Amino acid sequence: MPEKQLSIEGTDPLLLFGFNDVYLRKIESAFPDTHITARGTEIHLQGDEEDIEQVERVFNEMVVLLDRNETLTEDDVETVLALFDSEEPDTPDVGDAEAILTTPEDEVIKPRSPNQKRLVRSAQSNDVVFAIGPAGTGKTYVAVAMAVAALNEHRVKRIVLSRPAVEAGEQLGFLPGDFYEKVDPYLQPLYDAIGDMMPREQMAEYLEQDRVEVVPLAYMRGRTLKSSFVILDEAQNVTTSQMKMFLTRLGPKSQAIITGDITQTDLKNRSESGLIQVQHILKDIEGIDFIYLEREDVVRHRLVREIIAAYEEHDG
């Protein structure tokens, strides 16, 4: 029978395995055909080769979470296990997806497509994730849900949501009104998303306390974001220099999800899109991942998927 030895050198076994090995027992229950023996920082696995590979990936995910958050909860372990299908590891079973968040209206937000599930899995393992895909695939909504969940669970101290203000070729300085009136047309979708996921009174309180910030990308320059969950939306409208500026804002214990649709950039020159170029610039850096959503992931009105397909066919 296949065997494998894992080392968790540098990781506290008590935190990783849980009190009285409760987390270890959960993994054994999820993979009943795999025998797991833990002694100190060494883990011995015995069982089917494919199951052993899956169990190793589970432990790797847990170590990443523990390193990032300095703690591990039962919910964390259950979330990791829910993202691994022991029979079909490359084809997530969306029906069994773990809930990301429960809204004030008791709506359970969880991945609704295989690529949404891959997005959640990737964000749990990487500090920077790019979610690229057409409108309606839920990439921003899922990202905001993960940010709110991280804030509620005290894994971060604040959420920072940002967008570039270049839609329809308009310049921020030429719009009428004060600062908040100027940014409102660009940032309203982010307000709407986060407003779905927490009571309005709590949202107002968090905005006042800067525990939730919704800011234009132009106002991010010069900042260092510590213990933050940062989301950059509509990133197809970000230039390469703006993308570099945004990514270098990340401080300790922070993570970022960058979302966008490279087929819908409003920049005059499509090749200047930082979201297009970053796929080549950062593709080989550990801790950075790219998740691609397709029209099959569209979760809006049924016609949206067909509209996207028609435009793709037209564009050749």
Side-chain angles (χ1 to χ4, degrees):
M1 182 175 290
E3 300 182 17
K4 189 163 189 177
Q5 195 82 7
L6 307 181
S7 174
I8 55 168
E9 190 91 28
T11 300
D12 187 338
L14 179 61
L15 295 177
L16 186 68
F17 301 147
F19 183 68
N20 286 335
D21 292 339
V22 63
Y23 302 158
L24 204 59
R25 302 287 84 81
K26 281 184 173 292
I27 298 172
E28 287 181 327
S29 297
F31 297 90
D33 296 330
T34 303
H35 183 66
I36 305 173
T37 305
R39 293 188 180 89
T41 59
E42 299 295 322
I43 303 172
H44 181 77
L45 306 179
Q46 186 178 37
D48 180 77
E49 187 172 343
E50 190 173 297
D51 284 347
I52 287 177
E53 181 182 341
Q54 288 291 85
V55 172
E56 181 181 8
R57 292 173 64 192
V58 168
F59 277 117
N60 289 340
E61 297 277 0
M62 289 169 58
V63 168
V64 169
L65 283 175
L66 182 56
D67 287 345
R68 178 191 294 165
N69 303 327
E70 300 179 355
T71 186
L72 202 62
T73 68
E74 195 167 336
D75 286 343
D76 290 333
V77 178
E78 290 178 352
T79 298
V80 171
L81 290 172
L83 293 173
F84 286 89
D85 184 335
S86 60
E87 293 181 356
E88 296 179 324
D90 295 325
T91 309
D93 183 354
V94 179
D96 292 335
E98 186 77 11
I100 303 171
L101 182 74
T102 301
T103 71
E105 287 74 30
D106 292 328
E107 176 191 357
V108 177
I109 299 176
K110 63 181 181 179
R112 296 173 61 185
S113 73
N115 285 325
Q116 282 190 9
K117 194 169 184 181
R118 291 186 180 98
L119 172 57
V120 172
R121 178 192 299 174
S122 179
Q124 291 174 332
S125 306
N126 299 280
D127 286 335
V128 177
V129 177
F130 292 84
I132 301 173
T137 50
K139 51 192 182 295
T140 301
Y141 203 75
V142 168
V144 172
M146 294 188 70
V148 173
L151 185 65
N152 290 345
E153 295 165 9
H154 307 290
R155 289 186 275 117
V156 297
K157 293 182 179 178
R158 63 178 166 180
I159 298 171
V160 180
L161 309 175
S162 186
R163 269 187 168 196
V166 297
E167 296 170 63
E170 295 174 330
Q171 298 294 321
L172 189 63
F174 293 102
L175 290 175
D178 61 18
F179 171 81
Y180 291 103
E181 290 172 334
K182 287 179 179 180
V183 303
D184 182 71
Y186 305 107
L187 303 178
Q188 191 62 49
L190 295 177
Y191 279 108
D192 292 342
I194 204 165
D196 287 346
M197 300 177 193
M198 65 174 64
R200 291 288 174 171
E201 299 79 10
Q202 184 183 35
M203 177 179 170
E205 180 182 341
Y206 281 1
L207 287 167
E208 185 177 348
Q209 297 172 349
D210 286 336
R211 294 189 67 189
V212 173
E213 292 186 72
V214 187
V215 297
L217 179 62
Y219 291 83
M220 297 278 281
R221 192 173 299 277
R223 300 184 60 183
T224 299
L225 303 173
K226 302 176 182 178
S227 298
S228 302
F229 199 117
V230 192
I231 297 173
L232 175 60
D233 193 33
E234 298 291 336
Q236 73 274 5
N237 291 329
V238 171
T239 65
T240 297
S241 61
Q242 287 175 321
M243 181 67 76
K244 180 181 177 182
M245 180 273 290
F246 171 80
L247 292 172
T248 53
R249 299 308 92 202
L250 289 182
K253 298 182 182 179
S254 290
Q255 70 177 113
I257 297 181
I258 299 94
T259 68
D261 178 2
I262 56 177
T263 68
Q264 293 194 28
T265 178
D266 291 317
L267 297 174
K268 292 181 180 179
N269 187 344
R270 184 176 181 274
S271 64
E272 294 178 354
S273 172
L275 186 60
I276 293 176
Q277 295 183 4
V278 77
Q279 298 172 79
H280 309 290
I281 297 172
L282 303 182
K283 64 180 181 179
D284 296 322
I285 297 181
E286 187 176 352
I288 298 178
D289 195 18
F290 293 85
I291 300 297
Y292 295 90
L293 296 98
E294 309 292 343
R295 66 171 181 260
E296 289 76 14
D297 297 298
V298 169
V299 292
R300 289 183 183 171
H301 193 287
R302 64 173 182 83
L303 287 177
V304 173
R305 185 180 302 178
E306 296 181 31
I307 290 169
I308 293 170
Y311 271 96
E312 287 179 349
E313 183 178 351
H314 176 269
D315 292 339

